[in-house]
Amino acid sequence: MDLGTPMPERRNDSNLKRYGPLGVIVVLLLAVGAVVALGGGDDGEPSDTTGGGGAATCPRPDVHVEEQEAGAPPAVCGQPITYDEAVEAGTEADHDWGDSCDPATGQLKMPTIYAPPCVPVFEGDNGGETYPGVTADKVTIVRFIPDPSGDLTSLLNGMGVDETPEDATKTFNDYFTIATSQIEDYGRKVEAVDFEGSGQANDEVASRADAREIIEDIHPFAVIGGPALDRGAFATELADAGILCLGCGLALPSKIVLDKAPMMYGEQPSIDQFLATLAAWVNQSDEAASQAGRPDAASNAVFAGDERFHDQERKVGVIHFEQDPPIFDETAESQDQFDAAYALRETYIFDAGNLGALQEKAVDLIAKMKSNDITTIMFLGDPIMPRFLTAQATVQDYFPEWIFTGTALTDTNVFGRAYDQEQMAHAFGLSQLAVPVEQELQTPWRMYKWYFGEDAEPAATKQYALISVQPSVIALGIHMAGPTLTPETFARGLFRVPPRGGGPTTPQVSYGNWGVHAGLDMWASDDSVAIWWDPEAEGTDEIDRMGKGMWRYSNGGERFTSQDAPLPAPFEEEGTVTQFDELPAEDSAPDYPPPPGSPAAG
């Protein structure tokens, strides 16, 4: 079975409540960071961490993305050696690692497997103003706050997952405090400034105007967040002005991100990375299927609701979200290859203010799929459209296979239960989310209580996990950059942190070039998990409602990349999980006392 179309809209994940769709969000708290492969630099040995090394003594290294070999690049410009690097070199006794370092793990004493690596305590001159937005005692960061009327998360308000701006701001500041509390900051306090966006998610004119205002009035070192669907206008404007942008859009084309490296970073896989994993998972050989005891699974539509399809070779129809003007046709370099593999590809424009138009479009889309004898519908889009598509398929007496690809919360139980269950009995696919766990086991929740106390809770009780992500990336980048903070040292330092995670509840995260993906990786999440819908399974959904219908995670939630994708084996309950009540051993981090000076420590 072949497939191929650019991935549509990036997920705008949020922690809904108890078993929130946290997967990638949880893993990214204190994630291993965003980074690029950089050429130039020194002789390859880790730099000494003492002394200054200001901008005048640290030439800006050239970016040679394609030439960088897989692995960690050499440190430059006074970047610190990590504890693991020192152990390998036999020099760990030559450095002062400070009280916050745990030699047993080589990481800071923070209760997450994604804790930053230990680096030596810094002494000396930090170089003063090493880059715009960076002074001798401060690093300025801007937090972009979308216009509530244009933010895609407003779609979830009806589900009870909205937050007040005040609660969101307080929660961001709290996680910023946690993330920066233990790092080596080289004498600089990290200060976040809020900026309220002026336009809707797809308003390019407003996006560029907002970016110019940030550049002219604030000119920070980095910006967190941005308009969701502005075709990269906001992030590009900032990048051209030399300002980093983290999580600046849901659908930034890969070409824009790579052309502007090392200025843009994302949390979810890039379009090309996503398609590579999806293709590797679905395009299994007949030989592999036979070895797995499913000789027809690689080519025939054996999972369709209509038994007439079971003996037919899969004929794939793709339905995906698009923008006006189109954006995804400009993204994946593998566009032509993938397009040739599909029997039919249809797009739709998502309009949150006109759901009636979506419903009408669903009638047309399903009619086209049925009349073209499509055995398998692959969906890549928002979480609302499948409600109309699945309902209309039943109305038209059409029961194909459904492949969900994990875009935009379509892989959550709360939305899965809203789709036609007769159709969902034949739904399977991929998710980048981790297997859900109880709230008290979730990393952002545990980190908050570790720092602020057992009785403390984030003000943004529904979206705290989403909010917690980017402060940790900024903190880690500064921690690993060394005293001479620039976009290049920020990127290169983060790239030196190896991939981590990969357990059922801890997706693997890496950036740069670790041999996980082809080419430069500017996006965090590396792996996926196979899922299928069980209409009879009972459990708690993402907003704490008990009910029937759950996504099952195959192989105990085992995750995979494009390099080791298993054969799809949906609807086999043995070995599957729907949620964990305890963390798997490989996902468990050490417990540490609260850090000195924190509210929890008194």
Side-chain angles (χ1 to χ4, degrees):
M1 174 181 170
D2 294 324
L3 49 101
T5 190
M7 178 183 178
E9 172 187 11
R10 301 281 81 205
R11 280 204 315 272
N12 193 11
D13 295 8
S14 62
N15 173 26
L16 303 186
K17 197 173 179 187
R18 182 182 174 197
Y19 290 109
L22 295 175
V24 175
I25 299 300
V26 171
V27 67
L28 287 174
L29 179 73
L30 295 170
V32 297
V35 64
V36 300
L38 301 175
D42 61 11
D43 59 4
E45 294 298 320
S47 301
D48 190 290
T49 59
T50 59
T57 62
C58 179
R60 179 168 179 156
D62 295 327
V63 177
H64 297 299
V65 170
E66 293 79 8
E67 300 175 13
Q68 177 64 50
E69 296 181 359
V76 298
C77 303
Q79 288 183 307
I81 189 172
T82 68
Y83 186 85
D84 287 346
E85 290 172 340
V87 169
E88 185 176 353
T91 61
E92 69 270 24
D94 298 340
H95 302 278
D96 176 10
W97 300 100
D99 295 335
S100 61
C101 177
D102 182 355
T105 64
Q107 298 173 304
L108 298 183
K109 295 177 181 177
M110 305 177 83
T112 167
I113 66 170
Y114 302 98
C118 298
V119 300
V121 175
F122 177 74
E123 296 179 357
D125 179 10
N126 64 14
E129 184 177 347
T130 62
Y131 196 81
V134 181
T135 67
D137 56 8
K138 185 172 68 173
V139 180
T140 301
I141 308 296
V142 163
R143 172 181 170 244
F144 181 89
I145 303 174
D147 182 340
S149 66
D151 185 15
L152 293 184
T153 57
S154 63
L155 291 175
L156 304 179
N157 288 353
M159 298 169 54
V161 300
D162 54 316
E163 306 281 7
T164 68
E166 294 77 15
D167 285 346
T169 295
K170 183 181 186 306
T171 301
F172 177 89
N173 291 334
D174 286 347
Y175 278 108
F176 210 94
T177 297
I178 296 171
T180 58
S181 66
Q182 303 303 298
I183 65 168
E184 178 56 70
D185 58 16
Y186 309 96
R188 299 184 179 101
K189 178 181 178 181
V190 186
E191 180 179 288
V193 179
D194 286 347
F195 180 90
E196 296 184 5
S198 63
Q200 295 194 358
N202 61 351
D203 189 336
E204 295 183 40
V205 174
S207 292
R208 293 189 185 281
D210 288 344
R212 287 193 292 270
E213 185 174 344
I214 290 173
I215 294 166
E216 296 169 3
D217 295 350
I218 306 174
H219 207 100
F221 176 71
V223 173
I224 292 175
L229 300 172
D230 69 346
R231 298 168 55 86
F234 180 78
T236 299
E237 198 81 17
L238 293 174
D240 289 343
I243 297 174
L244 295 179
C245 202
L246 287 77
C248 282
L250 295 180
L252 292 183
S254 301
K255 187 177 187 302
I256 291 178
V257 175
L258 297 179
D259 285 349
K260 300 298 181 181
M263 307 307 295
M264 302 178 190
Y265 304 93
E267 296 105 18
Q268 305 303 318
S270 74
I271 294 170
D272 289 313
Q273 292 169 359
F274 173 86
L275 286 174
T277 300
L278 186 60
W281 176 68
V282 178
N283 294 347
Q284 301 286 345
S285 67
D286 291 334
E287 179 182 357
S290 296
Q291 291 176 353
R294 303 289 292 271
D296 297 327
S299 57
N300 291 354
V302 296
F303 308 121
D306 190 334
E307 293 185 359
R308 293 174 299 175
F309 292 155
H310 293 182
D311 297 327
Q312 296 184 27
E313 184 173 352
R314 282 193 177 95
K315 189 175 182 182
V316 182
V318 172
I319 298 175
H320 76 80
F321 160 88
E322 187 50 281
Q323 291 179 229
D324 185 15
I327 183 172
F328 300 110
D329 283 344
E330 305 170 3
T331 53
E333 294 181 359
S334 48
Q335 168 82 32
D336 293 339
Q337 170 192 345
F338 285 133
D339 277 355
Y342 287 119
L344 183 64
R345 188 177 80 143
E346 293 291 330
T347 65
Y348 69 95
I349 303 298
F350 180 78
D351 184 353
N354 187 5
L355 297 184
L358 288 181
Q359 190 167 10
E360 292 178 6
K361 184 65 175 178
V363 175
D364 176 61
L365 291 173
I366 292 300
K368 287 183 177 179
M369 295 290 158
K370 183 177 180 179
S371 64
N372 281 275
D373 297 320
I374 297 299
T375 68
T376 307
I377 294 178
M378 182 176 296
F379 181 77
L380 304 96
D382 71 273
I384 306 299
M385 190 59 163
R387 180 176 182 179
F388 301 128
L389 290 171
T390 56
Q392 188 55 219
T394 296
V395 168
Q396 296 189 29
D397 195 29
Y398 172 53
F399 296 92
E401 294 179 321
W402 289 86
I403 296 180
F404 285 82
T405 57
T407 57
L409 301 180
T410 54
D411 49 353
T412 60
N413 296 321
V414 70
F415 278 113
R417 291 177 182 176
Y419 307 153
D420 185 287
Q421 294 303 289
E422 194 171 1
Q423 298 290 334
M424 290 299 290
H426 307 282
F428 61 104
L430 292 185
S431 174
Q432 287 77 53
L433 301 181
V435 178
V437 297
E438 291 275 5
Q439 186 179 67
E440 60 266 23
L441 300 177
Q442 297 168 6
T443 296
W445 189 263
R446 294 175 63 233
M447 291 290 291
Y448 197 92
K449 289 181 173 291
W450 168 73
Y451 190 87
F452 288 104
E454 283 299 318
D455 295 333
E457 294 185 1
T461 58
K462 310 175 189 72
Q463 296 186 31
Y464 62 88
L466 171 64
I467 294 170
S468 72
V469 175
Q470 293 298 352
S472 66
V473 179
I474 285 288
L476 183 58
I478 292 171
H479 177 76
M480 292 296 296
T484 307
L485 180 59
T486 69
E488 287 79 12
T489 57
F490 181 94
R492 183 187 286 262
L494 286 168
F495 184 68
R496 293 174 53 218
V497 184
R500 299 186 187 181
T505 68
T506 57
Q508 180 175 295
V509 175
S510 71
Y511 281 79
N513 184 1
W514 288 95
V516 178
H517 299 293
L520 177 67
D521 182 6
M522 297 294 292
W523 299 265
S525 182
D526 288 337
D527 52 12
S528 300
V529 61
I531 58 175
W532 57 273
W533 184 258
D534 183 350
E536 300 302 319
E538 296 187 10
T540 308
D541 70 7
E542 291 78 12
I543 54 177
D544 205 23
R545 297 180 303 191
M546 181 63 68
K548 291 178 64 175
M550 303 277 286
W551 284 109
R552 287 192 176 274
Y553 295 76
S554 298
N555 303 317
E558 181 179 352
R559 306 185 69 80
F560 56 88
T561 67
S562 60
Q563 301 172 6
D564 58 358
L567 184 78
F571 314 114
E572 295 181 359
E573 185 173 339
E574 184 178 357
T576 65
V577 293
T578 57
Q579 57 196 30
F580 282 115
D581 295 326
E582 296 181 0
L583 283 178
E586 64 266 40
D587 295 343
S588 299
D591 288 325
Y592 297 109
S598 67

